[in-house]
Amino acid sequence: MQIGEFADRTGVPQRLLRYYEERGLLTPGRTDAGHRTFQDSDVPRVETIRALLAAGLNTETIRIVLPCTDYRAGHLVPTCTEMLTHLAGEQDRQTASIARLERSKQAIDGLLAAAPPELTDPVRHAALHNMHEGSGADRV
């Protein structure tokens, strides 16, 4: 099937299918005229790619683990040890990223907690601001 039909069948836009090809995730055939052709067997591959993306993996990681991944009944299933090793490393990277985000959030929480009350109460702050603006030459 050509890319338009394949896009309709998988629910993935043509542009994204071309991107998957560019990243080495899909390898469609070509007609004599150079048009992409896809097989029925490419449908589960796209489902697997989508599931791995939804799991938070980038396309480079997906390219590496894709040969060791199956998508059965709506679930990802590892099919070789190399995938587990690579995913454990990815999990460590994500854990470190979460820790960095938590530290950043704590720093922001501290800044917000240290703010003077007149800055934390928008209504009071607006009233103070208006009072200062109206205290000049416009008073009679």
Side-chain angles (χ1 to χ4, degrees):
M1 72 191 92
Q2 291 193 346
I3 193 167
E5 181 183 347
F6 189 67
D8 290 343
R9 184 150 174 213
T10 60
V12 175
Q14 292 181 34
R15 182 175 175 169
L16 200 49
L17 292 170
R18 287 187 205 94
Y19 176 73
Y20 292 167
E21 179 185 4
E22 179 183 299
R23 301 297 297 157
L25 305 178
L26 281 177
T27 310
R30 296 284 180 164
T31 66
D32 290 339
H35 298 286
R36 292 170 180 83
T37 60
F38 296 88
Q39 305 300 316
D40 288 337
S41 60
D42 292 323
V43 173
R45 185 172 184 93
V46 169
E47 291 172 345
T48 302
I49 292 166
R50 301 296 290 164
L52 291 168
L53 286 166
L57 301 180
N58 62 41
T59 55
E60 179 58 25
T61 300
I62 292 171
R63 188 184 59 74
I64 294 166
V65 302
L66 194 56
C68 293
T69 308
D70 202 0
Y71 191 71
R72 299 180 195 149
H75 299 285
L76 291 171
V77 179
T79 60
C80 57
T81 306
E82 295 84 6
M83 178 189 176
L84 298 177
T85 302
H86 196 81
L87 287 179
E90 182 66 20
Q91 187 177 46
D92 290 345
R93 186 194 65 75
Q94 288 179 352
T95 299
S97 181
I98 290 167
R100 282 190 303 277
L101 286 170
E102 281 294 328
R103 287 191 301 273
S104 177
K105 182 184 178 305
Q106 288 172 0
I108 291 170
D109 287 348
L111 285 169
L112 289 172
E118 65 270 12
L119 294 180
T120 59
D121 182 356
V123 173
R124 183 171 174 208
H125 178 65
L128 288 173
H129 180 71
N130 290 339
M131 186 174 70
H132 289 298
E133 283 185 347
S135 64
D138 60 339
R139 283 198 177 178
V140 183

